[in-house]
Amino acid sequence: MIGWMHHTPRWAVISVCVIASALLFVGASAHVTDLLSHGLHPYDWAPDWLNLYWSSLALFDALAALFLIRGKRRGTDLTCAIMATDLAANWYAVYGIQHSDLAAQPGLQRLTLFAAIVLGTAPFIRRHLTHLRCRLRQRAWPVGPGALAAARPLALQV
């Protein structure tokens, strides 16, 4: 890992996580609205697999946002996976199905910008978030030389 990545300020990490979480919740709410209004096939012009993918984002966007809010590394991992696949799906829909372009699609412009921000900041942010295994190790029974002495109450230590 590059040395200057270790020095990302805490306020920057928190800001990026909060902003990304808020935008992921906006995306999740849009997908939930589509699900409630139109079911699993909200876009008549799109193939079934694309509709199912976009509908699944109702769950995955919210899950990624919750992981980021809780400070979990898997939040950045899931968010990066969502952004990469969502961007590819939307670019395919715009160019391959609708035969349009980026200039005519402000939604795709915003998604592209958000994906660039997420993918560009993820290496800096991820390092400062916790991994589930790390937390489990911190809570586990202490091991190693002197661990038993450290685990005993102060009154019992000699």
Side-chain angles (χ1 to χ4, degrees):
M1 181 75 58
I2 300 172
W4 51 270
M5 284 186 182
H6 296 284
H7 303 295
T8 306
R10 185 173 176 84
W11 64 266
V13 172
I14 292 170
S15 299
V16 168
C17 287
V18 166
I19 291 168
S21 295
L23 292 174
L24 284 164
F25 277 129
V26 167
S29 65
H31 294 297
V32 167
T33 302
D34 286 343
L35 273 171
L36 295 175
S37 300
H38 307 287
L40 290 175
H41 204 283
Y43 304 103
D44 293 334
W45 52 266
D48 288 339
W49 64 268
L50 200 49
N51 275 299
L52 289 175
Y53 169 75
W54 282 326
S55 295
S56 74
L57 290 179
L59 170 68
F60 291 120
D61 282 354
L63 192 61
L66 289 173
F67 284 147
L68 284 175
I69 288 171
R70 295 196 64 215
K72 303 288 186 194
R73 284 184 184 172
R74 64 179 64 172
T76 56
D77 299 341
L78 183 56
T79 303
C80 287
I82 288 169
M83 295 314 301
T85 57
D86 194 21
L87 192 60
N90 278 280
W91 277 84
Y92 169 71
V94 166
Y95 284 99
I97 298 173
Q98 295 177 336
H99 306 293
S100 184
D101 62 0
L102 181 63
Q105 301 289 332
L108 182 59
Q109 294 169 5
R110 290 187 298 270
L111 182 66
T112 303
L113 178 63
F114 182 46
I117 291 169
V118 165
L119 297 172
T121 59
F124 304 99
I125 303 305
R126 188 179 191 282
R127 170 109 179 113
H128 298 282
L129 301 178
T130 60
H131 192 285
L132 181 61
R133 289 189 197 122
C134 294
R135 281 194 187 244
L136 290 176
R137 276 191 218 125
Q138 290 170 357
R139 292 182 189 158
W141 185 261
V143 287
L148 230 65
R152 281 188 258 157
L154 289 176
L156 297 177
Q157 291 184 3
V158 247

